[in-house]
């Protein structure tokens, strides 16, 4: 199945077909799925294409907009003309310059900061059928123009002073927002549904999500086995989450950090190694009547055996499915890392 490339850290795009195959091979029968840590929606999208009723959830609101664009927005409504119009300032409309004023030489050059200011304010005037698609196009463009596609460091210099290296693509980074808006609008229209599937999108903490489904799919943040400090999803994507609260950004900037991290969306749920087991037990206790499918890695903490023991407190049968070797890009210390799916029923 052809899938959208959402450029998200930890995306299951490369293994989602193996996840589906593992569920089928182990005779997991389900009509509905709750995707508790939905990210940019690849697993939800795949399951929707397979005809399942999908309950997508994520704690970050920008992810929910991307999922809404892919899963709940009518195909073909958001056009290339709509996208390009977002880049133009409307006469008579007063524009703020929050990104230009607060993020000079951090993530983008000044002229691109000004464009982001323009686009995010123009999006607020769109109707409901267009708004999520516009966010999708903006967020994909912002990510692809960033070294490593993330925002955890002040490293615009990697782009502006680029010397041939084993990462990144200066040609991609320097594409204009105009060309990227056209590209991602075309891509979005290719993957949107002609007939909208059975999908609901929610934006809340996984531990407080009270929705129920036959299958609960869990893809929490991972901790490496030998890892002292973790870069959280909020660290990686705070800038995009901040854009969802544009007018309030100045009051939420952490000036103690050189990359001026925006505080919106910061949380400790499944982001603290010392509380992971406690969080997982809390989560599993809420879904004892559903089949559990947990994505994990062979190089993670806790170990797979420890996770099986935890899940075994709530499920009679535990199945560990090896999905193969899938090391993270740009990390040469994890060639032996395998993806696994732990099923509890």
């Amino acid at each position: 199945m052809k899938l959208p490339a959402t450029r998200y850290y930890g995306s299951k795009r490369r293994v989602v077909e193996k996840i589906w195959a593992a569920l089928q091979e182990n005779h997991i029968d389900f009509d509905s799925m709750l995707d508790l840590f939905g990210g940019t929606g690849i697993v939800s999208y795949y399951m929707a294409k397979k005809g399942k009723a999908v309950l997508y959830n994520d704690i970050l609101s920008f992810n929910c907009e991307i999922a809404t664009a892919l899963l709940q927005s009518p195909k073909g409504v958001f056009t290339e003309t709509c996208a390009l119009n977002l880049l133009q300032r409307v006469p008579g409309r007063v524009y703020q310059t929050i990104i230009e004023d607060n993020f000079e030489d951090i993530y983008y050059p000044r002229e691109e900061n000004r464009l982001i200011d323009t686009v995010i304010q123009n999006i607020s005037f769109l109707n409901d059928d267009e708004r999520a698609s516009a966010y999708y196009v903006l967020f994909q463009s912002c990510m692809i123009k960033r070294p490593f596609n993330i925002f955890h460091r002040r490293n615009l210099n990697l782009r502006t002073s680029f010397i041939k290296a084993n990462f990144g693509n200066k040609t991609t980074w320097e594409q204009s927002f105009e060309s990227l808006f056209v590209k991602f609008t075309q891509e979005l229209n290719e993957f949107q549904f002609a007939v909208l599937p059975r999908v609901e999108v929610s934006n809340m903490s996984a531990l407080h999500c009270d929705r129920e489904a036959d299958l609960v799919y869990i893809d929490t943040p991972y901790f490496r086995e030998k890892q002292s400090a973790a870069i959280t999803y909020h660290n990686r994507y705070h800038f995009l989450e901040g854009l969802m609260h544009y007018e309030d950004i100045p009051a939420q900037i952490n000036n103690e950090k050189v990359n001026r991290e925006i505080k919106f969306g910061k949380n400790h749920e499944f982001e603290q190694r010392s509380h992971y087991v406690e969080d997982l037990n809390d989560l599993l206790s809420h879904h004892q009547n559903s089949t559990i499918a947990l994505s994990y890695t062979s190089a993670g903490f806790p170990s797979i055996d420890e996770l099986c023991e935890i899940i075994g407190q709530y499920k009679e049968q535990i199945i560990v499915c090896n999905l193969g070797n899938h090391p993270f890009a740009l990390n040469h210390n994890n060639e032996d890392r395998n993806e696994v799916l732990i099923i509890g029923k």
Side-chain angles (χ1 to χ4, degrees):
M1 183 189 299
K2 190 175 182 182
L3 297 167
T6 53
R7 295 160 193 87
Y8 195 64
Y9 185 87
S11 170
K12 291 299 178 286
R13 184 171 180 266
R14 293 187 299 166
V15 298
V16 65
E17 291 191 329
K18 293 181 179 181
I19 290 172
W20 172 260
L23 293 171
Q24 297 303 297
E25 289 166 6
N26 289 285
H27 309 291
I28 305 302
D29 184 29
F30 64 102
D31 179 62
S32 58
M33 181 198 72
L34 171 58
D35 189 358
L36 275 171
F37 300 82
T40 50
I42 286 296
V43 173
S44 286
Y45 183 88
Y46 189 95
M47 296 301 174
K49 292 289 280 188
K50 290 293 187 180
K52 305 301 181 182
V54 173
L55 303 173
Y56 166 99
N57 180 71
D58 200 89
I59 199 167
L60 295 174
S61 56
F62 89 91
N63 273 340
C64 293
E65 291 296 333
I66 292 174
T68 298
L70 283 170
L71 297 166
Q72 289 190 312
S73 298
K75 186 182 186 74
V77 170
F78 188 77
T79 65
E80 294 170 33
T81 300
C82 294
L84 292 173
N85 284 343
L86 292 173
L87 294 161
Q88 306 301 318
R89 297 210 163 187
V90 177
R93 186 177 292 173
V94 177
Y95 288 86
Q96 299 184 69
T97 54
I98 291 172
I99 305 302
E100 183 179 357
D101 293 343
N102 291 282
F103 293 94
E104 184 173 0
D105 294 330
I106 295 181
Y107 304 119
Y108 305 100
R110 176 181 286 271
E111 62 274 13
E112 293 182 359
N113 284 337
R114 183 174 175 83
L115 276 176
I116 293 170
D117 277 319
T118 298
V119 171
I120 202 70
Q121 291 173 88
N122 282 340
I123 287 175
S124 67
F125 289 89
L126 297 180
N127 62 47
D128 291 343
D129 284 342
E130 296 175 327
R131 191 176 300 116
S133 296
Y135 278 127
Y136 177 98
V137 169
L138 174 62
F139 294 154
Q140 294 301 319
S141 300
C142 285
M143 282 191 279
I144 205 171
K145 289 176 76 66
R146 289 285 303 143
F148 313 111
N149 304 142
I150 50 182
F151 301 85
H152 69 304
R153 291 177 180 158
R154 175 179 182 156
N155 55 6
L156 178 61
N157 63 298
L158 291 180
R159 173 180 159 188
T160 56
S161 305
F162 183 77
I163 299 174
K164 187 175 180 181
N166 63 349
F167 65 88
N169 184 330
K170 186 170 176 62
T171 302
T172 298
W173 297 338
E174 297 304 332
Q175 288 183 75
S176 68
F177 268 99
E178 287 82 0
S179 64
L180 290 172
F181 270 36
V182 170
K183 167 186 168 68
F184 289 123
T185 300
Q186 292 172 346
E187 181 180 283
L188 180 60
N189 276 290
E190 176 185 358
F191 289 106
Q192 284 176 324
F193 289 82
V195 177
L196 294 180
R198 295 178 295 162
V199 174
E200 296 178 21
V201 173
S202 61
N203 173 208
M204 67 181 77
S205 152
L207 292 178
H208 293 98
C209 183
D210 58 358
R211 300 188 168 203
E212 298 180 354
D214 302 329
L215 176 71
V216 175
Y217 176 69
I218 300 171
D219 184 20
T220 69
Y222 297 163
F223 296 95
R224 289 194 293 274
E225 189 175 4
K226 298 177 180 178
Q227 181 181 33
S228 56
I231 300 171
T232 69
Y233 276 82
H234 176 266
N235 296 148
R236 294 183 181 100
Y237 298 109
H238 69 94
F239 184 79
L240 302 183
E241 186 69 7
L243 292 179
M244 295 296 301
H245 310 272
Y246 177 75
E247 293 187 353
D248 298 319
I249 286 175
Q252 291 293 321
I253 292 173
N254 184 347
N255 292 301
E256 295 180 0
K257 291 199 170 187
V258 294
N259 68 330
R260 312 209 80 198
E261 186 174 287
I262 303 169
K263 300 174 188 176
F264 284 114
K266 190 174 182 66
N267 71 93
H268 298 298
E269 184 175 293
F270 287 95
E271 295 283 15
Q272 293 180 302
R273 182 185 177 106
S274 59
H275 291 132
Y276 183 89
V277 171
E278 179 184 345
D279 286 346
L280 184 60
N281 270 300
D282 190 1
L283 188 69
L284 293 172
S285 70
H286 286 88
H287 299 285
Q288 298 188 54
N289 296 324
S290 303
T291 299
I292 299 295
L294 187 147
S295 278
Y296 205 62
T297 170
S298 61
F301 169 87
S303 68
I304 292 172
D305 287 344
E306 289 172 311
L307 281 182
C308 289
E309 184 176 341
I310 294 168
I311 297 172
Q313 298 175 42
Y314 305 93
K315 298 297 171 186
E316 294 180 358
Q317 184 179 1
I318 308 298
I319 306 166
V320 179
C321 310
N322 191 327
L323 306 183
N325 181 243
H326 293 279
F328 288 131
L330 305 174
N331 185 341
H332 302 295
N333 299 317
N334 68 138
E335 284 84 357
D336 296 329
R337 175 187 178 279
N338 288 329
E339 286 275 352
V340 299
L341 185 72
I342 305 174
I343 300 171
K345 63 178 184 176

